Amino acid sequence: MDQQMFEKVDLYISQLLAPEDEVLQQTIKSLDEADMPQISVTANQGKFLQVIALMCNAKKILELGTLGGYSTIWMARALPAGGKIVTVEFDPHHASIARKNIENAGLLEKVDLRVGKASEVMEQLKESGETNFDLIFIDADKPPYKEYFEAALDLARPGAVIICDNVIREGKVLDENSSDDRVAGVRRLNQVLSENTKVTATILQTVGAKEYDGMAIAFVNK
């Protein structure tokens, strides 16, 4: 098995079960046009998030790290009438592109896009009583992943699912002495997942078009 094979299989799965329509294709294209990094989830990962949202019967979703709105669109499409996804983006330029893509998808009424630091927005949500989220997807800056997860627990309802992306870092998490603060950040999160009795959690290794990484999946115990 090699990277070329992983990419081919990922393409096979995506074409079969997660085909991108024109809106999603344009969203990915908009990142290049806006000189933004191509670090969105893959089509198959987007479909995975959508399936999880449906399994949760999600009416309220929180996303940390909007980028161009690609994963936002996948999840928002799973929401019922009256459902809402609060998505948080630190970079105003990224947020402006995401808003255009979300509008192009016809999903503005289901998306509450907030610009600012994730930690501050999460605190604002807590203070205003905007809690009981059904699904929380964390795909923001990696060093404070532990803190994001712990704040997410305060915002999630019992029975909710919290998903954290990029927690394997191409296997670099095995290096406990890594000087990479992103690696250190996800290692701290992964350790917390093993110790926190409020959740039942595991990590799935992922391979495909975006190479080798992993997603942490935590069920908030009832």
Side-chain angles (χ1 to χ4, degrees), residues 42-63:
T42 64
N44 191 35
Q45 290 169 339
K47 183 63 174 292
F48 170 76
L49 293 171
Q50 188 180 89
V51 169
I52 295 297
L54 291 169
M55 291 174 66
C56 294
N57 293 313
K59 297 178 179 64
K60 293 178 64 178
I61 300 174
L62 173 62
E63 176 183 45

Side-chain angles (χ1 to χ4, degrees), residues 167-214:
V167 300
I168 295 300
R169 313 299 303 175
E170 297 183 331
K172 295 175 184 177
V173 289
L174 297 177
D175 181 5
E176 62 184 24
N177 298 311
S178 175
S179 59
D180 188 329
D181 59 356
R182 295 167 298 181
V183 173
V186 297
R187 277 182 57 87
R188 290 170 61 228
L189 166 69
N190 296 343
Q191 185 63 39
V192 164
L193 290 175
S194 74
E195 300 169 349
N196 196 308
T197 59
K198 295 180 180 180
V199 298
T200 301
T202 191
I203 294 172
L204 295 180
Q205 298 183 72
T206 58
V207 294
K210 294 295 178 71
E211 301 182 346
Y212 175 42
D213 215 315

Side-chain angles (χ1 to χ4, degrees), residues 154-165:
D154 290 335
L155 297 172
R157 67 164 173 83
V161 174
I162 302 173
I163 299 176
C164 305
D165 199 12

Side-chain angles (χ1 to χ4, degrees), residues 50-186:
Q50 188 180 89
V51 169
I52 295 297
L54 291 169
M55 291 174 66
C56 294
N57 293 313
K59 297 178 179 64
K60 293 178 64 178
I61 300 174
L62 173 62
E63 176 183 45
L64 306 184
T66 315
L67 192 65
Y70 185 80
S71 54
T72 317
I73 292 170
W74 273 108
M75 290 186 286
R77 286 176 169 177
L79 289 169
K84 184 74 71 175
I85 176 169
V86 177
T87 184
V88 185
E89 175 56 48
F90 175 73
D91 189 311
H93 174 58
H94 294 179
S96 67
I97 299 301
R99 189 177 300 279
K100 293 176 183 178
N101 290 328
I102 293 165
E103 182 177 13
N104 187 44
L107 293 167
L108 277 180
E109 66 177 15
K110 290 187 175 182
V111 179
D112 178 359
L113 175 57
R114 305 194 186 190
V115 182
K117 292 183 178 180
S119 58
E120 294 179 357
V121 174
M122 294 173 86
E123 184 61 30
Q124 292 166 5
L125 289 170
K126 183 178 179 180
E127 291 177 352
S128 64
E130 298 177 80
T131 58
N132 291 315
F133 285 93
D134 305 300
L135 172 62
I136 299 176
F137 179 47
I138 302 175
D139 191 16
D141 50 321
K142 307 307 179 252
Y145 251 32
K146 170 181 175 289
E147 289 74 20
Y148 290 161
F149 173 77
E150 291 172 339
L153 274 178
D154 290 335
L155 297 172
R157 67 164 173 83
V161 174
I162 302 173
I163 299 176
C164 305
D165 199 12
N166 308 125
V167 300
I168 295 300
R169 313 299 303 175
E170 297 183 331
K172 295 175 184 177
V173 289
L174 297 177
D175 181 5
E176 62 184 24
N177 298 311
S178 175
S179 59
D180 188 329
D181 59 356
R182 295 167 298 181
V183 173
V186 297

